Amino acid sequence: SSAVDRDAFLAGQISDLQARLNVMNLTAGSADDQLAALVRFNRLFELLGLPSQELGGLQRALVSAQQAMAGPLPDGGDAPLLPTRFEQLAWLGLSAPTLAALRAYVTVLPLQGGRATPVNLNTASAAVIYAALPGSDRASADRLVALRAQQRFTSVSQALGAISQSQGQSQPDASWAAVSSSFFEIRGRLRLDDVALEEVAVVQRLSDVRGRRVSTLWRARSALSLPASGR
């Protein structure tokens, strides 16, 4: 029998989801906590030139969706489904241009103990760091990114101390800051001849009495359309 040549390609990528702002933070904690979250997201929206009314609508829809999970709403109204993936934020009134602009900066993660998910200062972009640290400016966020390229931060105080000392500024609000992560996205692509598949999974790294382990939050597989040149 004759050998058959097959055209195959496999690629994978792991992304740190705590390099982004978790939209579920808009529902975390008390009313004061949610207002503080809105301030942070508003900093991102202003930086990206996005409409603030969409942000207000997003927070209200998320709160309603979360309340509906616990039972009927007090006013008897309807609520959107609680999203678990970024694309599902379209359910909550975000326009296509806003979603496209936010994709690199925002994620959807479950809250742990009802607390806001912190941002990893070792992996977040300058835009996300600026948004997550009220009291900071863009120059400080850029400075953090430059400093971590030389040496990874081992504590939040080390990171914030470095920028305050270099610029003579008081330290910003660091309640959303961290230097490690627990949530990651794993993306794999397989192409075999004319067939292409992509699988995406979001995982959480856990440490408990059973040791360190990884839990899959969700996984999705889809077929990809190949351009004519890729066939």
Side-chain angles (χ1 to χ4, degrees):
S1 61
S2 60
V4 178
D5 292 331
R6 306 292 301 272
D7 184 13
F9 176 77
L10 177 66
Q13 180 182 21
I14 298 178
S15 301
D16 180 3
L17 292 180
Q18 285 182 242
R20 308 173 193 175
L21 294 177
N22 180 12
V23 296
M24 294 308 300
N25 288 358
L26 289 165
T27 70
S30 65
D32 287 342
D33 293 328
Q34 293 173 14
L35 179 59
L38 191 62
V39 168
R40 287 170 166 86
F41 274 87
N42 190 59
R43 285 164 67 87
L44 179 63
F45 269 59
E46 287 184 346
L47 185 64
L48 300 178
L50 300 177
S52 59
Q53 63 268 26
E54 289 194 32
L55 173 58
L58 172 64
Q59 185 179 45
R60 291 189 294 272
L62 284 170
V63 170
S64 293
Q66 193 172 63
Q67 290 175 342
M69 294 288 290
L73 295 178
D75 60 3
D78 295 327
L81 293 175
L82 195 67
T84 58
R85 308 178 194 178
F86 176 83
E87 293 78 9
Q88 295 169 348
L89 294 178
W91 300 346
L92 308 182
L94 291 187
S95 65
T98 295
L99 281 172
L102 288 175
R103 180 172 291 276
Y105 307 104
V106 163
T107 188
V108 182
L109 298 171
L111 297 176
Q112 303 299 297
R115 299 185 301 272
T117 306
V119 165
N120 188 343
L121 300 180
N122 279 309
T123 56
S125 65
V128 170
I129 292 173
Y130 165 77
L133 302 180
S136 69
D137 55 25
R138 251 326 275 275
S140 298
D142 289 336
R143 175 67 174 161
L144 273 178
V145 172
L147 288 171
R148 79 182 186 210
Q150 303 170 24
Q151 184 176 6
R152 178 183 174 86
F153 300 125
T154 57
S155 69
V156 172
S157 59
Q158 176 198 16
L160 300 188
I163 60 171
S164 61
Q165 291 172 11
S166 66
Q167 300 188 10
Q169 298 178 348
S170 59
Q171 291 192 2
D173 180 355
S175 55
W176 277 26
V179 292
S180 61
S181 298
S182 300
F183 295 95
F184 304 89
E185 178 188 85
I186 302 174
R187 186 177 296 269
R189 290 188 177 186
L190 171 66
R191 178 170 62 83
L192 183 62
D193 296 332
D194 290 342
V195 178
L197 295 174
E198 179 178 68
E199 182 165 294
V200 180
V202 169
V203 301
Q204 180 181 8
R205 185 169 56 193
L206 302 168
S207 296
D208 54 28
V209 293
R210 291 178 288 177
R212 301 186 69 177
R213 56 193 177 88
V214 173
S215 172
T216 300
L217 301 181
W218 60 264
R219 177 184 290 128
R221 179 179 296 175
S222 59
L224 299 177
S225 299
L226 290 176
S229 59
R231 297 182 183 275

